[in-house]
Amino acid sequence: MNLLIIAIGAALVNNVVLSQFLGLCPFLGVSKKINTAAGMGGAVIGVITISSAICSLIYDFILTPLDLTYLNTIVFILVIASLVQFVEMFLKKTSPSLYEALGVYLPLITTNCAVLGIALTNVQNGYNLIESVVAGFGTAVGFTIAIVIMAGIRERIEFNDVPENFKGMPIVLLTAGLMSIAFFGFAGIL
Amino acid sequence: MNKCVERLYNGLIKENPTFVLTLGMCPTLAVTTSAINGIGMGLSSTVVLVMSNLMISLLRKVIPDGVRMPAFIVIVASFVTMVQFLMQGYLPELYDSLGIYIPLIVVNCIILGRAEAYASKNPALPSVFDGLGMGLGFTCAITILGAVRELIGSGTILSTGSSALVKIPESVYTPASIFTLAPGAFFVLAICIAIMNRIKAKHGMEPAKVPDYCTKDGSCASCSNTMCGGKAFASSEDKKEA
């Protein structure tokens, strides 16, 4: 039950993009078309789930015993960067079709603040391995939901009559603001 | 010396990271619930930006090209950790209110972007001023955003809990607290950029674009695949359209 609350909380109630403002760069930059948005979402789900697990293991079994927890920012970012490279090579060898679909998004994810943000929040909340993985997966699903909805709306906005000064960035931000209000509705779930 | 002044002007106005380049959106939106938070975040990012630009510029001939991204990340992360500890020690209240966004300065696109675009190609002094200009431009922008959100959302400016620079009494104005919550961040930034677009249109300049996450024009700051230069993504987009 506790795990379910963590997952729903991470995916909907505290949506990573719309209420915590993590991962905004890809949210704004890769949301032009639904196809690419979904691809990015899929890659983010994979990377965040694996990196939450590995960062949690490293924190519990290497950094804590050695009393080096203050190094967590540096260690996590390096782990995430090398993990992404590794996943990319692994996919290329074992599953070329999956690599074709998600591969181009992988390097983009390395310095995505959502990935590092989740690893650090997990540590702050004192989650164990399983809780970290569930929280990571839930967060990534929340990211995917948000970016796909955003891409759907942007495909329609293309043909609307937007005031000259609001074209481009401002209208996208206004859309995100309205989505964020909508996601407030989920706060009643928990 | 002219070059240094030019760099400052460039960061503050011409290529203002928030209003013109629309980079580093995560901290911009997340910590601007009050003007104090904006100043704190802006100045800590400025310190990291100046120090890492200096270090990267000094080491630019030592770092091999192939591993420059990981090297930059380690340099930036070390300075961020130092700033984090200094803040925790001397400004614990600010540290608590900025929370997780302090370690996340590491992945701020502005910092790695400047390292890649400027500091790794230029001598130390201009790089320091480049970092200073960009950092102050960022600080000004998020302080303005923070002040606007604080004024509409809680009726104060530069409030420190007990005292405030400007305080509108509740009887005159009822604060619209949604502006200190997540949606308010999006709305205020949207309107600020729209105003900037209007000013720019009058001077015949291009309006702010949604930054493509990965394009050929060099906005690859958030990507570890530095050899690609936007080609991989562009070709995959073409394939999907066909």
Side-chain angles (χ1 to χ4, degrees):
Chain A
M1 197 55 209
N2 193 17
L3 290 179
L4 192 67
I5 289 177
I6 292 180
I8 292 178
L12 298 175
V13 181
N14 291 315
N15 187 283
V16 64
V17 186
L18 298 170
S19 76
Q20 298 186 57
F21 303 114
L22 298 177
L24 272 172
C25 303
F27 178 68
L28 299 172
V30 197
S31 58
K32 253 188 209 148
K33 292 197 206 78
I34 292 185
N35 284 343
T36 37
M40 187 71 186
V44 165
I45 291 181
V47 169
I48 291 192
T49 312
I50 304 172
S51 74
S52 314
I54 294 185
C55 288
S56 169
L57 286 174
I58 288 182
Y59 191 81
D60 286 346
F61 295 105
I62 299 178
L63 294 183
T64 313
L66 293 177
D67 224 7
L68 287 174
T69 47
Y70 61 89
L71 285 179
N72 60 4
T73 311
I74 301 180
V75 171
F76 286 178
I77 187 78
L78 287 180
V79 166
I80 292 167
S82 38
L83 177 79
V84 171
Q85 297 269 318
F86 180 75
V87 169
E88 197 185 351
M89 287 190 300
F90 183 76
L91 275 185
K92 213 177 204 168
K93 282 271 179 241
T94 53
S95 166
S97 59
L98 197 61
Y99 178 78
E100 186 78 353
L102 304 181
V104 284
Y105 305 100
L106 285 173
L108 291 171
I109 297 174
T110 316
T111 53
N112 177 342
C113 48
V115 186
L116 182 61
I118 303 323
L120 291 169
T121 341
N122 285 342
V123 166
Q124 260 177 12
N125 292 344
Y127 285 163
N128 63 25
L129 175 63
I130 297 173
E131 285 167 336
S132 303
V133 173
V134 172
F137 181 73
T139 308
V141 171
F143 175 84
T144 311
I145 295 173
I147 197 173
V148 171
I149 296 178
M150 185 62 164
I153 298 175
R154 276 183 73 182
E155 283 189 354
R156 279 167 183 71
I157 289 181
E158 287 275 296
F159 305 106
N160 286 5
D161 185 20
V162 179
E164 193 57 40
N165 294 324
F166 276 87
K167 272 185 187 152
M169 195 69 174
I171 192 70
V172 175
L173 287 169
L174 285 180
T175 315
L178 292 175
M179 281 171 68
S180 163
I181 292 182
F183 269 70
F184 266 150
F186 290 115
I189 296 182
L190 293 187
Chain B
M1 207 57 219
N2 274 338
K3 202 170 182 195
C4 300
V5 177
E6 184 265 322
R7 281 288 100 198
L8 279 179
Y9 171 76
N10 183 55
L12 274 166
I13 309 215
K14 206 170 131 217
E15 288 188 10
N16 185 293
T18 305
F19 290 141
V20 181
L21 300 182
T22 56
L23 282 176
M25 284 290 117
C26 305
T28 306
L29 291 168
V31 303
T32 51
T33 49
S34 68
I36 291 270
N37 278 359
I39 295 176
M41 184 70 200
L43 289 184
S44 30
S45 306
T46 307
V47 171
V48 174
L49 196 49
V50 170
M51 296 307 288
S52 62
N53 261 10
L54 173 67
M55 193 64 126
I56 288 166
S57 167
L58 290 175
L59 291 176
R60 69 185 188 281
K61 293 197 177 107
V62 184
I63 300 173
D65 215 33
V67 292
R68 67 181 189 282
M69 247 1 187
F72 294 169
I73 291 177
V74 173
I75 292 171
V76 176
S78 320
F79 284 117
V80 169
T81 310
M82 284 180 221
V83 167
Q84 191 180 351
F85 282 127
L86 287 173
M87 220 168 182
Q88 200 170 8
Y90 293 102
L91 298 165
E93 278 171 26
L94 188 63
Y95 177 80
D96 284 338
S97 66
L98 294 179
I100 188 152
Y101 297 98
I102 294 285
L104 286 180
I105 296 176
V106 179
V107 282
N108 189 330
C109 331
I110 300 173
I111 294 174
L112 276 182
R114 289 330 286 173
E116 171 75 8
Y118 198 85
S120 61
K121 299 184 187 97
N122 289 283
L125 195 62
S127 298
V128 167
F129 276 89
D130 181 71
L132 198 60
M134 280 283 161
L136 293 179
F138 180 61
T139 310
C140 289
I142 66 175
T143 308
I144 293 172
L145 283 178
V148 172
R149 282 179 70 189
E150 198 184 339
L151 184 66
I152 306 177
S154 32
T156 55
I157 291 181
L158 283 173
S159 162
T160 52
S162 49
S163 62
L165 185 70
V166 176
K167 190 164 176 23
I168 311 174
E170 292 255 340
S171 54
V172 181
Y173 171 72
T174 316
S177 59
I178 193 157
F179 277 87
T180 54
L181 298 173
F186 288 112
F187 294 146
V188 173
L189 184 63
I191 289 171
C192 285
I193 295 180
I195 293 171
M196 283 292 284
N197 279 353
R198 173 127 187 97
I199 297 171
K200 279 197 258 175
K202 274 194 183 153
H203 292 82
M205 287 155 71
E206 288 259 303
K209 285 196 198 107
V210 185
D212 266 323
Y213 198 47
C214 178
T215 47
K216 284 172 206 148
D217 61 16
S219 53
C220 293
S222 340
C223 181
S224 62
N225 187 359
T226 46
M227 306 311 286
C228 125
K231 283 177 235 115
F233 197 75
S235 67
S236 78
E237 289 254 282
D238 294 342
K239 227 182 281 169
K240 269 168 196 145
E241 269 167 26

